[in-house]
Amino acid sequence: MPHTTTPLPSKTSIQLEDVESAAKPQRIIPTDYTDNNINQDENKRLKDVEISVPVVYGTMAFYLGKKANELQSHKWTVYVRGATNEDLGVVIKQVVFQLHPSFDNPIRVVESPPFELSECGWGEFEICISILFHDDVCDKHVDLFHLLKLYPDAESGPQSTKKPVVVETYNEIVFPDPSENFLARVLNHPAVYVPRLPAGFNLPAPVPSPNMNVKGKYDAKNHPLNHWFINFSEADELLKLASARQQVQAHILKLRRQLSMLDGPPQPSKLAYVLATVASLVDFRRLISSAS
């Protein structure tokens, strides 16, 4: 597994509470993702469009049993993966894991999927996980914090070498006003949720990000830990809600374009059409609110 030593990016104000599963996702916007970043390439940015990337981060710890000693009682893995275990390399450039300072090279960088690292140890501690993105995605990063858990809860019974202790958290990373190239590149990617674009809307041919890993596609579905990853029982509903939010964004974009095309005093037929569209959008928002 590739890893190097590098200075850890500065921490963000985002700190998420770790839980074994999440009923609803947190929506995270990369640090300082503001108009200053968006306007630097205004002509290639899509206003009122939002891309979301569902991610899961967590740890999995195996008890070593008879092989355990005072300094190494467990083998564990910390990772960032797609919510449905899809390859996130299309969005993520690298993940930086900051371990406890007692480890050799406690700051590790993983530059290609799977975004994970494994170690052996005896103690529990908080791991800082910094996610950095490809150049056409975002020039900022997201920091997450996760508590490594080695020992099962009392109600789970004694620790076993056959069943690991798994703690995962589900979230969505949101990218407002994405670049045309980013949207074109991930439009049909299963790990990314994009809005339904208006009819006749054309995107340029997708161009790989200059710093994208080209060593070969990662086969996420055959990951050796697949059997133990938590199955988020409400994941389907969460994904439907994410899709519904994207449809709302598309409706807003369409409505704004229709309003901008009205010249002079609004004609009755045009005004009625626009009002009907507004009413439909309001009903759609209410539907989403009741579903969530």
Side-chain angles (χ1 to χ4, degrees):
M1 181 180 305
H3 64 266
T4 58
T5 302
T6 185
L8 187 69
S10 59
K11 291 186 177 180
T12 71
S13 60
I14 302 171
Q15 294 192 24
L16 304 176
E17 181 178 359
D18 293 297
V19 293
E20 293 195 0
S21 63
K24 294 185 179 180
Q26 300 286 334
R27 287 167 55 79
I28 306 171
I29 298 178
T31 306
D32 298 328
Y33 199 107
T34 65
D35 289 340
N36 292 332
N37 300 309
I38 294 170
N39 291 335
Q40 64 186 354
D41 198 5
E42 183 73 30
N43 294 330
K44 296 183 180 180
R45 294 270 175 188
L46 301 174
K47 290 291 187 180
D48 304 312
V49 175
E50 185 178 273
I51 293 177
S52 63
V53 182
V55 300
V56 173
Y57 64 97
T59 51
M60 185 176 302
F62 287 87
Y63 176 52
L64 295 178
K66 295 180 179 180
K67 297 181 180 179
N69 57 49
E70 291 183 355
L71 298 180
Q72 294 187 346
S73 60
H74 292 76
K75 180 178 180 180
W76 52 264
T77 301
V78 58
Y79 49 84
V80 176
R81 66 178 180 89
T84 54
N85 212 29
E86 299 290 349
D87 181 5
L88 294 178
V90 68
V91 177
I92 296 176
K93 176 174 67 175
Q94 62 181 217
V95 177
V96 181
F97 298 96
Q98 184 175 12
L99 308 181
H100 191 274
S102 61
F103 284 87
D104 292 335
N105 300 321
I107 298 177
R108 314 280 180 88
V109 178
V110 180
E111 298 180 331
S112 61
F115 296 106
E116 64 181 42
L117 67 86
S118 297
E119 271 288 358
C120 289
W122 58 270
E124 299 178 340
F125 58 93
E126 185 178 65
I127 301 173
C128 177
I129 304 171
S130 297
I131 303 176
L132 291 83
F133 308 98
H134 293 297
D135 292 341
D136 64 347
V137 177
C138 179
D139 61 355
K140 304 302 178 183
H141 68 278
V142 165
D143 281 352
L144 304 170
F145 298 88
H146 181 83
L147 180 64
L148 169 64
K149 185 175 181 180
L150 302 182
Y151 303 95
D153 296 329
E155 59 269 20
S156 300
Q159 58 184 345
S160 167
T161 58
K162 297 182 179 180
K163 183 179 180 181
V165 175
V166 183
V167 181
E168 293 188 334
T169 300
Y170 175 105
N171 285 285
E172 291 177 13
I173 302 177
V174 179
F175 302 95
D177 301 337
S179 68
E180 286 187 350
N181 186 60
F182 175 34
L183 180 58
R185 185 160 50 79
V186 302
L187 190 59
N188 297 311
H189 196 284
V192 181
Y193 295 93
V194 300
R196 181 179 299 173
L197 301 177
F201 187 88
N202 295 318
L203 285 171
V207 178
S209 177
N211 58 6
M212 184 169 293
N213 187 287
V214 294
K215 294 181 180 178
K217 188 175 180 180
Y218 162 58
D219 186 6
K221 296 301 183 181
N222 289 325
H223 192 287
L225 300 180
N226 247 355
H227 177 68
W228 300 109
F229 286 148
I230 292 177
N231 178 21
F232 291 86
S233 60
E234 298 184 28
D236 289 342
E237 292 301 320
L238 294 172
L239 301 185
K240 289 178 183 178
L241 288 173
S243 176
R245 277 198 300 271
Q246 306 300 351
Q247 292 181 42
V248 169
Q249 295 294 327
H251 274 290
I252 293 174
L253 179 61
K254 180 179 178 181
L255 180 59
R256 287 183 177 177
R257 288 182 175 179
Q258 290 171 343
L259 291 173
S260 66
M261 293 174 63
L262 293 177
D263 296 323
Q267 299 177 8
S269 60
K270 288 185 177 180
L271 181 58
Y273 178 75
V274 172
L275 290 176
T277 304
V278 172
S280 175
L281 180 58
V282 170
D283 290 340
F284 192 63
R285 283 183 179 274
R286 288 174 180 170
L287 177 62
I288 293 178
S289 297
S290 62
S292 58

